[in-house]
């Protein structure tokens, strides 16, 4: 039947587990907003079957956290500035 969900354990480079993300089988991305971009992380993908068994032989890979946010600054419309002159 295949995997029921996927588990993505995230660790920093000193082998400490930081967070674990769970994804449903049709989800293609995750957003690790809680990770500090100043640190380096690694992640692996583990498939979980209908009985809760995790796959074996998953390998950690480097996870790059962007230094900048993709949130854009708000646009201010209709603002008038009064001059004191």
């Amino acid at each position: 039947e295949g995997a029921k969900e996927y588990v993505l354990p995230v660790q920093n480079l000193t082998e400490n587990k930081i967070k674990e993300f769970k994804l449903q089988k049709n989800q293609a991305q995750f957003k690790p907003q809680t990770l500090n971009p100043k640190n380096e992380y690694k992640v692996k993908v583990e498939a979980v079957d209908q009985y809760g068994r995790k796959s074996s032989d998953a390998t950690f890979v480097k996870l790059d956290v962007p230094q900048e946010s993709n949130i854009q600054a708000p646009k201010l419309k209709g603002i008038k500035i009064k001059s004191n002159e």
Side-chain angles (χ1 to χ4, degrees):
E1 183 173 302
K4 178 181 174 186
E5 67 179 4
Y6 296 93
V7 176
L8 285 77
V10 177
Q11 295 181 349
N12 61 20
L13 294 185
T14 59
E15 304 293 326
N16 295 326
K17 185 174 177 181
I18 303 295
K19 191 161 178 83
E20 187 171 271
F21 296 92
K22 290 188 178 185
L23 305 176
Q24 298 305 311
K25 61 181 176 181
N26 293 332
Q27 201 168 0
Q29 66 179 357
F30 74 103
K31 298 180 181 181
Q33 292 96 339
T34 59
L35 299 178
N36 184 345
K38 294 180 182 176
N39 294 336
E40 293 183 355
Y41 301 96
K42 57 185 179 178
V43 64
K44 66 179 176 178
V45 178
E46 299 173 324
V48 180
D49 70 9
Q50 63 186 359
Y51 303 107
R53 299 177 295 189
K54 291 183 180 178
S55 60
S56 59
D57 299 332
T59 303
F60 277 99
V61 294
K62 184 179 177 188
L63 173 65
D64 291 322
V65 179
Q67 294 292 324
E68 296 180 7
S69 173
N70 61 358
I71 298 173
Q72 296 185 6
K75 295 180 182 178
L76 303 176
K77 297 180 182 180
I79 303 269
K80 294 181 182 179
I81 300 174
K82 291 183 181 181
S83 175
N84 289 337
E85 296 178 6

